[in-house]
Amino acid sequence: MDERPFWKTKSLEEMSPSEWESLCDGCARCCLNKLEDWDTGEIVWTRVACTLLDDESCRCKDYDNRAVTVPDCIQLTPAEVRTLTWLPPTCAYRLVREGQDLYWWHPLVSGDSETVHQAGISVRGRTVPEDGMPLEDYEQHVVMWPGEAPEDG
């Protein structure tokens, strides 16, 4: 019997719903608004958070109904993960897609949902809410860290 963890033995498509959901490390980087340069297609990250993001827990306030409240919320599926270019380099879905292992701070590796925050990977305490902010002001909140990978620790 193979003793390796499921993310090393299964493709994204082979995962059960609970395995799929457990891949999310709770960093909430994907819940940050991104801007795309219309001419180059380049994506830049902002620290402007989705209206449903709880900045403290780094979880969606209404996960089951998020697409109703936020119609442009992208629900990650294996097909989406295979095409999205903006997934953070730390994202477990992206790492599995690329055949890489999860980082030491991922809750599936560490056994602790707080390590993603302790390692400084999550957006906890680093966001501003999108509520009431004009889209043209998003450029004032461009940040580089969501698109960066941490040093291995």
Side-chain angles (χ1 to χ4, degrees):
M1 187 164 100
D2 197 338
E3 296 294 325
R4 295 179 300 162
F6 72 87
W7 63 88
K8 291 184 178 184
T9 62
K10 293 184 177 183
S11 71
L12 294 171
E13 292 79 7
E14 294 171 326
M15 291 181 189
S16 70
S18 63
E19 289 169 335
W20 178 264
E21 290 294 322
S22 72
L23 271 186
C24 177
D25 60 24
C27 76
R29 289 182 180 198
C30 63
C31 299
L32 297 175
N33 284 278
K34 293 151 278 298
L35 301 173
E36 181 176 4
D37 183 299
W38 286 34
D39 295 326
T40 66
E42 178 187 6
I43 303 287
V44 294
W45 295 82
T46 73
R47 63 188 194 108
V48 180
C50 170
T51 190
L52 291 177
L53 181 67
D54 178 324
D55 180 74
E56 181 59 28
S57 69
C58 290
R59 295 292 181 182
C60 184
K61 295 175 191 173
D62 192 11
Y63 185 74
D64 291 336
N65 301 302
R66 65 194 183 280
V68 174
T69 306
V70 182
D72 60 347
C73 179
I74 296 175
Q75 183 171 351
L76 292 182
T77 64
E80 289 288 347
V81 168
R82 295 201 184 284
T83 61
L84 292 173
T85 59
W86 53 258
L87 289 173
T90 56
C91 177
Y93 299 102
R94 177 177 173 172
L95 293 170
V96 170
R97 176 189 80 194
E98 295 173 351
Q100 299 180 49
D101 202 358
L102 304 184
Y103 286 95
W104 66 267
W105 43 259
H106 192 288
L108 288 172
V109 176
S110 70
D112 183 353
S113 62
E114 285 298 307
T115 52
V116 67
H117 309 297
Q118 293 163 353
I121 304 305
S122 78
V123 305
R124 180 182 279 171
R126 299 161 86 171
T127 69
V128 294
E130 71 180 359
D131 301 328
M133 183 183 297
L135 187 58
E136 58 270 13
D137 289 355
Y138 284 28
E139 289 182 8
Q140 297 172 24
H141 299 282
V142 169
V143 291
M144 299 301 291
W145 56 265
E148 298 174 350
E151 296 295 322
D152 284 324

